[in-house]
Amino acid sequence: MTRAGRVELLDAPRIRLVETAAPGLSPAHRSAMDRRWEEAVRANPALFDGPVAALTGLERDGRDGLVLSWARATYRYRALRGVPDAPVCSSLFVSVVQPSGDGRLMVGRMAASTSAPGRWQLPGGTVEPPDEGAELNVDGLRRHAARELSEETGSDTPAEALTLWLTTRGAGGGVGALFLAPPCPGHELRERYARLVSTETGEGREPEFDRIKLVRPPAGLDGLEGPHVDYLEPVCRHYVDTSA
C-alpha cells in the first residue's frame, strides 16, 4: 500500500466482494438524507436516484487481497456524508487506464449534463448492483468497466482484455477498482471518440465526456483546465513508475 496525498493506492491482485445489508437509518438520519438530496438535485438537476452498490467496508485478505463489503442502495445515500453519526455508505466505482501506443494516458472531461460537470477523470463510473440473488464479483466489475469505456469513449475493447491493476481509496472512503486496457494507437482512440460523438449528437444525446485528451503524466496533467478526481494524479504517477 502506498499513500499519495489523500489517496491510498492498494496493490491487491485479488478482490472478493461480499454483499451486506443496507445500513439502517433512524428517522432523523433519513429525514436529513432526503433533505440534503433534494437540495443537491435542485442545485444539479442532472442527479438521479438510481441503484448503486454502496461500499460499506474494506478489509485486507492476506497479503495480496482485499474484501470489499457492499450493499444495495441508491444515490441519495451519498447525502449522508457529513450528517453527524450517520452510517457510512461510500462510493464503489470502476475506472480504466487506457494507454496510447506512445505511453500517454486517455482522460475525459465530464459534460455539463452529468453529475460532475467539468471534472477530468479516467473512463469509468459507479458500480450498479446485479439482479437480486446474483453475485457481484471481479468479472462483473470488469464487464462494467468495459461498458463504461465503450459508452464514454467509443472503445471496442472487450471485457476479457482488461486486467485488474490497482485499487484506490480516497479521503472520503470511496474505493475504485482500476483496470488496465491494452495500448492503442492515439489516432485510433481519437477516431473512436469522434465516431461516438457523431452518433450521440446525431441521435440527440450529449456524450458523457465533452472532451478527451491524451496526456503524458505527470507533467501533462498540468494542462488540464478545471477540477479532476482525487485519484487521477497519483494513479498516473504510479503508472509511470511501474511501466518504466
Side-chain angles (χ1 to χ4, degrees):
M1 178 184 73
T2 59
R3 293 180 183 271
R6 300 180 302 166
V7 177
E8 293 178 90
L9 306 182
L10 308 171
D11 292 306
R14 294 187 300 108
I15 291 179
R16 183 162 56 93
L17 294 111
V18 178
E19 183 173 1
T20 60
L25 299 179
S26 68
H29 285 151
R30 184 167 295 278
S31 176
M33 177 182 71
D34 292 341
R35 183 176 65 256
R36 286 177 172 232
W37 174 256
E38 291 165 2
E39 292 171 353
V41 171
R42 283 195 295 271
N44 183 359
L47 297 176
F48 69 100
D49 195 22
V52 295
L55 186 77
T56 56
L58 181 151
E59 296 179 352
R60 276 288 183 182
D61 184 16
R63 296 184 59 184
D64 63 350
L66 293 173
V67 178
L68 304 181
S69 301
W70 66 277
R72 297 174 188 270
T74 65
Y75 279 93
R76 74 173 53 227
Y77 273 75
R78 293 182 177 180
L80 287 170
R81 298 170 184 171
V83 176
D85 301 321
V88 176
C89 273
S90 301
S91 300
L92 177 60
F93 63 92
V94 293
S95 292
V96 179
V97 177
Q98 173 63 73
S100 63
D102 61 359
R104 290 176 293 172
L105 298 180
M106 181 169 60
V107 296
R109 190 176 70 177
M110 298 293 282
S113 61
T114 66
S115 60
R119 185 181 72 187
W120 290 93
Q121 62 179 60
L122 299 176
T126 302
V127 175
E128 298 177 359
D131 294 338
E132 286 288 347
E135 180 185 10
L136 180 61
N137 53 28
V138 172
D139 284 340
L141 297 182
R142 183 179 288 107
R143 289 191 296 271
H144 185 58
R147 184 168 65 251
E148 293 284 354
L149 182 64
S150 174
E151 292 175 352
E152 293 177 343
T153 73
S155 169
D156 58 3
T157 301
E160 55 269 23
L162 301 181
T163 302
L164 181 62
W165 179 63
L166 191 67
T167 304
T168 66
R169 179 165 58 181
V175 168
L178 274 64
F179 291 86
L180 182 63
C184 180
H187 70 89
E188 288 190 18
L189 295 174
R190 294 190 185 93
E191 289 170 0
R192 291 172 182 176
Y193 175 70
R195 288 195 295 268
L196 172 71
V197 171
S198 178
T199 299
E200 293 280 284
T201 55
E203 296 177 355
R205 297 189 300 271
E206 183 180 27
E208 290 186 65
F209 283 163
D210 66 9
R211 182 180 302 178
I212 66 165
K213 280 191 176 183
L214 298 176
V215 299
R216 190 176 303 281
L221 298 178
D222 295 337
L224 300 180
E225 297 181 359
H228 51 77
V229 290
D230 59 357
Y231 67 76
L232 188 57
E233 182 175 351
V235 164
C236 287
R237 288 183 179 275
H238 187 73
Y239 177 80
V240 172
D241 292 342
T242 57
S243 60

